[in-house]
Amino acid sequence: MSSTTHNTKGFEETVIALLLGLMVMITFVNVVLRYVFNSAIIWGLEVTLILFAWLVLFGVSYGVKVTAHLGVDALTNMLPSRTRRIVALIAAAVCIVYAFLLMKGAWDYWAPYAALDRTSGRWFPTGFEKTRDQAWYITDQVPMPEILRFLEGLINQGETYDKLPRVVPYTILPVGVGLLLFRFLQATLRIWRGQQDALIVSHEVEDEIDQLKDHQWEE
C-alpha cells in the first residue's frame, strides 16, 4: 500500500471517528444536564441527527473503498476466474449508473437550498432549469455560527439567519453521493486491473472466522 493511500485512509477514518465522537459527546452532555441539572441543550438532538446522517452517507463511500460491504457470492465463487471478473465489472457498471442517478437526485434536492438551479431531465441531467430559491429555509433549533455569516450575503440576499440554514447539513447529499460515485469508479478500475475481485467483502473472511474458531477449540 502506498503512503498516499495510507494517509487518505487515515484521514477518512479520522473524520468518521470525529463524527462518532461528537455524537457521543453531545448525547452524554445532554444526559448529564437532563438528569443532574434538570436542563438540556435544546439543539442537541437535531445536531446529533445531522451528524448521524453525515456519518451514514460518508461511511457508505468509505465502505466501498475498503471493500467492507456485505454481499452474496455463493454463485459467483463457482464461476471461472475470467467469468467472475466479467460479472464483477458488470456489477460495478450498474453501481456506477446507480450512483450517478443518486448524484442527480442529491444535487436536485440540495441545489435550491444553496440558491442554485436543479438539473433538467427525468433520469440524466440535460442542463439546468430555473428553480425557486429556498436558501431562506433554516434548521429548527441549531444556532447560526458566526463563522458562517458570509452565507447571508452569498445565498440569502443579505437577510440575517437566526438559525443554521438547511443548506449546511444538506451539503452531505451531493458530497456523500459524489464520494460514493468516485469510490465506485476507483473500485471498477481496481477490478479491471486485477487488483480486486469484487465490490463486496471477500469470502476469505469466512475462512478467517473458521480459523479463529479452530484456534479457540484447540485452546
Side-chain angles (χ1 to χ4, degrees), residues 181-192:
L181 176 58
F182 176 66
R183 294 308 182 194
F184 274 137
L185 290 171
Q186 281 188 322
T188 304
L189 184 59
R190 290 197 298 269
I191 294 173
W192 179 265

Side-chain angles (χ1 to χ4, degrees), residues 46 50 137-143 163-166 169:
E46 189 174 10
I50 291 171
Y137 276 98
I138 58 176
T139 54
D140 293 333
Q141 298 170 330
V142 184
K163 296 289 190 300
L164 182 72
R166 294 188 185 182

Side-chain angles (χ1 to χ4, degrees), residues 81-218:
S81 177
R82 178 179 176 83
T83 306
R84 187 164 62 246
R85 182 184 176 200
I86 293 174
V87 172
L89 287 172
I90 294 174
V94 172
C95 289
I96 290 173
V97 173
Y98 175 70
F100 185 82
L101 293 174
L102 281 180
M103 186 67 203
K104 172 177 166 54
W107 173 270
D108 290 346
Y109 186 86
W110 173 79
Y113 294 100
L116 299 172
D117 293 331
R118 294 190 179 100
T119 60
S120 56
R122 181 176 178 82
W123 297 102
F124 297 94
T126 58
F128 292 93
E129 58 186 20
K130 187 63 178 177
T131 306
R132 179 173 173 266
D133 188 337
Q134 295 179 321
W136 48 273
Y137 276 98
I138 58 176
T139 54
D140 293 333
Q141 298 170 330
V142 184
M144 178 65 176
E146 291 299 322
I147 194 174
L148 296 179
R149 289 292 177 188
F150 70 92
L151 292 175
E152 297 168 344
L154 184 64
I155 64 174
N156 202 38
Q157 302 177 6
E159 295 293 327
T160 302
Y161 284 120
D162 59 341
K163 296 289 190 300
L164 182 72
R166 294 188 185 182
V167 65
V168 176
Y170 290 175
T171 299
I172 190 56
L173 292 173
V175 172
V177 177
L179 280 172
L180 178 63
L181 176 58
F182 176 66
R183 294 308 182 194
F184 274 137
L185 290 171
Q186 281 188 322
T188 304
L189 184 59
R190 290 197 298 269
I191 294 173
W192 179 265
R193 292 175 174 175
Q195 300 171 335
Q196 184 173 321
D197 294 330
L199 293 172
I200 60 176
V201 65
S202 174
H203 194 70
E204 296 173 355
V205 173
E206 293 185 6
D207 296 334
E208 294 178 0
I209 294 176
D210 291 337
Q211 291 177 5
L212 180 61
K213 289 181 178 178
D214 294 339
H215 179 69
Q216 291 177 342
W217 179 260
E218 290 175 357

